[in-house]
Structures are given as structure tokens and as C-alpha cells.
Amino acid sequence: MPRTSTTVDNSHIVIDTGMAQPDATTIVERKGLGHPDTLADHLAERLSRAYSRYTVQHFGAVLHHNFDKLALLGGASEVRYGAGRMTSPVRVLVNGRAAPLCGGEPIPVEDIVEAEVRAFFAERLPEVSAHLDIVFNITSNSSPGAVLTGDGVPDRTRWFNPRSVEDLRERRVRLSNDTSLGTGWAPENPFESFVRELVDHFSGKSDFTLAHTWCGSDVKLMGYWDGAQADIVLCVPQKSRHVASRAEYVRNAETVLAECHRLAGLRLPGAEARFRLNARDVPEKDELYLTYTGSSIESGDEGVVGRGNRVNGLITPLRPMNLEGANGKNPVYHVGKLYNVAAQRLANRLHEATEGHAEVHLVSTTGQRLDQPWRVLVRLSSPDVEVDKVQALVTEALGEFPALTDELVSDGIVLS
């Protein structure tokens, strides 16, 4: 595999070409919109964006914060055919940090958070919205490194209590907050794209879910593909208020399976597709994936940021991945968010430019300039690559972080 290595500013850039194309064998998982881990991811990101917009509007900058340790603790419910109710609330543990003031002007952090949490559940799981217990674990403690040597106050202690936005170091230069990495690859194969579409079809707003009000959103799929055959295990809950009997539940499940085969015929033409739906069901004992809200968050399940889909929306153990939980991180300098988004975008561009497979790995070291990663590794399947053009695309991507922050704050980017 030919390799080109160069150093630009403080970044060591390695470009490998002629790497082997990934083979057809694919294992892929996706968690739907009502899965507790997806709920935790999306809520954390919503809190980050709401807080960021507030501070930009009032102070002209995104103040320091992170909500990427948020967790959801499942409640309890009673489920009956044609009925159901919540019997214990879902606990929302808002763990993180946020600047509570700037220049002496207070920021209503808890008010912002509570409004967003309630609005989120009203949209995503309306049956839960009146059964929430919100626990605030939000501090403004400084990061390590504030050593007291005299009467002066270390600058670091002002990051979460700034006298003005000029106390924000990133106003002068954006430095990586951590030693971490971002990973991206392209293109998806047809099966990976099918998995994304199928889960969204059953868990989001679609013609199917609009026509079948019993369809819940806590959908989960695990799939295996060898290039000719698809083997899929799928969970699709039903909402108890809209299911009058066991027989009706079974008929609805048959409707889901028929829709799976219909979409497989369209997206994987000529391939054999096998589906196992709600594999833990025991209908004769009324042990069914029947829920009041459409999500297992109603009955003891938990959701934690970073345990769900990666930034590209998939969990792909045979592809390059990392374990960063991007949702809820500060969009200005947290590399666990920015480098994953940038790596995926760069991989897409390199795929389009080379018409082959592309992998990108951006590795930071804490305190180094955000736009100058410690290591950049690009791996391309194309054997004939104009290295100068590849380096230009890398430079272009690394120069987009300020604009990337704006996109994240304005809801222009969907994570996971």
C-alpha cells in the first residue's frame, strides 16, 4: 500500500492509497428514535443547542458547557389490551456543566433545561411528558490545571464564570479540549443504507406510522449481510391503547413483516431477506412487545449518551468506529463532536473525488490547535490519487470548524 507522509503546521498527515475495498460481509445495528439511548443522545444535543443559542443571543458567544453525560432512568407502567398508564415517572438526570452567568448577568440554566426536556418528550413520547422527574446535576467547576500560586485568580477558573466573553480562550485561538479522535468512512453499502431507512420508516414519521397509530418508536435492528442474503432481527413495539387483543397484536406484527419484505424488494433487489420480529414474544402467554408509550423507557430501561448510534447513525463493528459520545458536547472546541463530524464529511468528499472507499481518522492532543490535529490518517482504496488534491481537501475540512459550530448550534447537522 503506497504511503505519503507530510507535516503541515503541527499536523502529521498520512495518506495511504490502494487499500483493500471492504468486502461485502456487513454487521450493522441501528437504534430508532424511541430507543432510550437515542432519546438520551438527542436530548443531550438539544440541551447543548438551546443553551448555545441563548448565550449567543445574549452575550455574542457560545459559553462553556457540556451535557454529554445525561442519562435517563426508566419509569414503570401498566399495559393492558386497549389501555395502559404510567405508574412511575421517567427520571432525567441532567449531568454536566454550564456557565451560570457572564459578566455578572445570570443565565437561567435550569429554566432552559427544563423547558427543553418537557418540549422534547412532548414531541417524541407525549405519553411520558406528564411523567418526568428532572434531576439537575449541573456544576460550573473549572477543569484541572488551576494551580493557586498567589493572590491572583487562574484564568482557567473563569471559563465557567467569565467576566465577559473575552475570558473565553477560544475567542483568541481554538484549542482541542481533549486527546481524542474522530472517525469517518464512505460510502455506505446498500445494506447499511437499507438498515437506516427501515428503522426510520418504523420509528419516525412516515406513511406507515401515520397509517398505523399502534406502531411505537423504540425500534432496534441488528442485521447481517453477505452480499446476497440479508438476515435481520428487528424489534418494533406496539402501543397498547391501539391494540384491542392478542389477535390484533399478531395481525399488526404480520403487517410489519410484510412491510419489511416490501422495502427489501425495493432496496435489495434480487437478494434473499429473512426477518425475525420481536424474537422474545411468547403470544400464548401474552408476553409481547406491547407498550403504553411505544418505548421501553416506560418500564425500567435506561438510556445513556454515547451508547447508541455513531455520528453517521449506524453501529458498524466491521467498519472503523470510535467510542466518543458526540451529543451534548460543546460545539466550539470539543473534539469528540467536531472531529467525528469533520471526519465523516471529509470521507464523503474523498469518496466523491476518488470514486472509491475512503476512511478518515483525526486524532487530537489536548491543548493543540483544533484545526491542527496531532495526526491525520487518510486511507483510500483508489491506487491512483493526486496527493496534492487530497491534502487540499484535508486542509479545507480543517478550516471549517467555526462554520461547523454555527451549523451545530442552528440545528443544521443531525447527529446519530
Side-chain angles (χ1 to χ4, degrees):
M1 179 186 301
R3 166 169 289 188
T4 300
S5 179
T6 187
T7 299
V8 178
D9 296 322
N10 292 314
S11 296
H12 187 69
I13 303 173
V14 173
I15 301 170
D16 290 335
T17 59
M19 64 173 284
Q21 289 267 16
D23 65 23
T25 304
T26 302
I27 298 174
V28 59
E29 180 181 3
R30 178 162 170 80
K31 298 178 179 181
L33 292 177
H35 189 285
D37 290 331
T38 307
L39 292 171
D41 276 337
H42 290 183
L43 178 55
E45 184 61 14
R46 180 166 177 151
L47 297 183
S48 172
R49 295 184 186 194
Y51 179 85
S52 297
R53 287 194 292 266
Y54 182 94
T55 62
V56 168
Q57 180 181 353
H58 287 81
F59 307 107
V62 175
L63 297 187
H64 288 201
H65 70 278
N66 57 274
F67 297 106
D68 58 321
K69 304 301 188 296
L70 181 144
L72 304 175
L73 303 184
S77 62
E78 288 182 356
V79 176
R80 304 175 189 278
Y81 292 116
R85 68 187 184 101
M86 294 290 298
T87 59
S88 182
V90 171
R91 300 190 74 197
V92 182
L93 305 184
V94 185
N95 307 313
R97 290 185 291 174
L101 51 83
C102 181
E105 181 178 338
I107 300 168
V109 178
E110 291 191 1
D111 291 344
I112 293 169
V113 167
E114 181 167 359
E116 292 298 328
V117 169
R118 296 197 182 281
F120 174 80
F121 278 97
E123 296 168 10
R124 193 67 67 87
L125 290 177
E127 297 89 348
V128 172
S129 59
H131 304 276
L132 296 171
D133 179 12
I134 304 172
V135 181
F136 297 97
N137 298 312
I138 304 172
T139 76
S140 56
N141 299 332
S142 65
S143 301
V147 179
L148 299 174
T149 57
D151 295 334
V153 176
D155 288 344
R156 190 177 296 254
T157 64
R158 295 195 177 101
W159 289 358
F160 282 86
N161 291 279
R163 296 165 297 184
S164 74
V165 294
E166 299 312 313
D167 275 341
L168 306 179
R169 182 177 62 180
E170 62 270 21
R171 301 278 287 183
R172 298 180 292 277
V173 58
R174 298 192 184 200
L175 303 179
S176 298
N177 77 304
D178 196 3
T179 300
S180 189
L181 72 159
T183 305
W185 52 269
E188 292 177 357
N189 66 32
F191 183 66
E192 289 158 338
S193 299
F194 172 66
V195 165
R196 183 198 310 279
E197 180 181 352
L198 192 65
V199 171
D200 291 351
H201 187 68
F202 291 125
S203 74
K205 288 185 178 179
S206 67
D207 290 342
F208 184 89
T209 56
L210 291 174
H212 302 90
T213 54
W214 47 260
C215 189
S217 60
D218 189 356
V219 176
K220 182 178 177 182
L221 186 155
M222 181 70 74
Y224 183 91
W225 168 254
D226 64 6
Q229 294 182 328
D231 204 356
I232 292 171
V233 178
L234 179 67
C235 293
V236 178
Q238 297 182 31
K239 291 187 175 185
S240 59
R241 288 179 302 149
H242 305 288
V243 181
S245 65
R246 178 199 300 172
E248 192 169 316
Y249 177 94
V250 172
R251 287 196 299 271
N252 292 341
E254 291 170 351
T255 299
V256 171
L257 285 171
E259 184 72 355
C260 289
H261 286 288
R262 184 186 74 83
L263 289 175
L266 293 173
R267 299 294 181 257
L268 303 172
E272 179 184 351
R274 297 188 295 267
F275 295 89
R276 294 179 63 197
L277 176 65
N278 298 350
R280 204 162 62 180
D281 280 0
V282 185
E284 61 272 19
K285 294 184 178 181
D286 291 308
E287 294 179 7
L288 309 167
Y289 197 10
L290 189 66
T291 65
Y292 171 59
T293 66
S295 172
S296 61
I297 197 68
E298 74 180 41
S299 53
D301 204 354
E302 299 88 13
V304 181
V305 172
R307 286 176 47 88
N309 307 318
R310 303 297 88 195
V311 164
N312 67 356
L314 302 173
I315 302 168
T316 51
L318 301 187
R319 301 282 205 172
M321 292 197 310
N322 66 66
L323 299 180
E324 279 289 351
N327 289 276
K329 284 180 166 24
N330 187 304
V332 179
Y333 55 83
H334 275 208
V335 290
K337 170 180 281 184
L338 292 163
Y339 275 17
N340 274 292
V341 175
Q344 186 57 54
R345 286 192 168 185
L346 179 54
N348 289 334
R349 294 173 188 174
L350 290 168
H351 161 62
E352 292 172 1
T354 66
E355 299 182 347
H357 181 77
E359 281 181 25
V360 175
H361 304 270
L362 306 178
V363 188
S364 70
T365 184
T366 187
Q368 187 161 315
R369 281 181 54 138
L370 184 68
D371 59 356
Q372 297 177 7
W374 173 53
R375 290 287 190 273
V376 178
L377 174 62
V378 173
R379 308 182 74 209
L380 305 170
S381 65
S382 176
D384 301 313
V385 171
E386 295 184 49
V387 173
D388 289 347
K389 289 187 177 180
V390 172
Q391 291 179 348
L393 287 172
V394 171
T395 301
E396 178 185 25
L398 297 178
E400 292 177 349
F401 288 119
L404 198 56
T405 296
D406 294 340
E407 277 192 77
L408 286 162
V409 172
S410 66
D411 291 334
I413 297 174
V414 177
L415 302 178
S416 74

